[in-house]
Amino acid sequence: MKVLKTRLLEAEREKQMTEVAKERKSQVGTGDRSERIRTYNYPQGRMTDHRIGLTLYRLEDILNGNIDEIIDALITADRTCLLYTSDAADEEDSVDLGGRGIINKKT
């Protein structure tokens, strides 16, 4: 009976460890280029935000804190995303948001 109890406990512990490892792996990225949010290219003086497809050739200004244009573009993209996911825009089944992917709308 003790052997059965030990095996059951070991199986449960293994299951929990597998779930924790799976959750951890989903939270930690692989570091692939596809996961990049923003790229700073110093030789070209370029900043690209890959989420919204914004490229600016004013890297020095951006690094000095002049990020209003980036913030405005992110706000606009977020509002566009919210607009297309709301019930007000139910003409199509899906909407392509450029660098942000495709949103499938379900009513």
Side-chain angles (χ1 to χ4, degrees):
M1 202 62 169
K2 286 184 177 183
V3 174
L4 178 61
K5 184 178 178 181
T6 304
R7 287 182 182 170
L8 289 173
L9 287 174
E10 184 63 32
E12 185 64 29
R13 187 177 317 140
E14 186 70 31
K15 181 180 174 185
Q16 287 177 348
M17 289 175 58
T18 302
E19 288 177 16
V20 168
K22 183 179 176 184
E23 181 67 25
R24 184 178 293 136
K25 187 169 183 154
S26 72
Q27 292 177 0
V28 176
T30 61
D32 289 340
R33 287 180 179 243
S34 62
E35 294 180 350
R36 299 249 169 97
I37 293 173
R38 206 171 285 125
T39 300
Y40 298 92
N41 187 309
Y42 291 91
Q44 296 178 2
R46 174 178 52 87
M47 186 282 311
T48 300
D49 192 309
H50 301 286
R51 297 170 295 178
I52 59 175
L54 174 69
T55 299
L56 300 173
Y57 288 91
R58 298 186 347 262
L59 183 58
E60 192 167 329
D61 287 344
I62 293 166
L63 294 176
N64 286 329
N66 299 326
I67 59 170
D68 293 336
E69 189 174 351
I70 299 167
I71 293 171
D72 291 341
L74 288 167
I75 290 170
T76 301
D78 187 53
R79 288 182 179 161
T80 301
C81 183
L82 291 173
L83 174 71
Y84 281 120
T85 56
S86 71
D87 291 336
D90 59 356
E91 297 172 3
E92 298 179 27
D93 291 336
S94 62
V95 176
D96 185 358
L97 295 177
R100 297 188 77 184
I102 295 176
I103 296 175
N104 293 316
K105 298 181 288 183
K106 302 198 181 205
T107 55

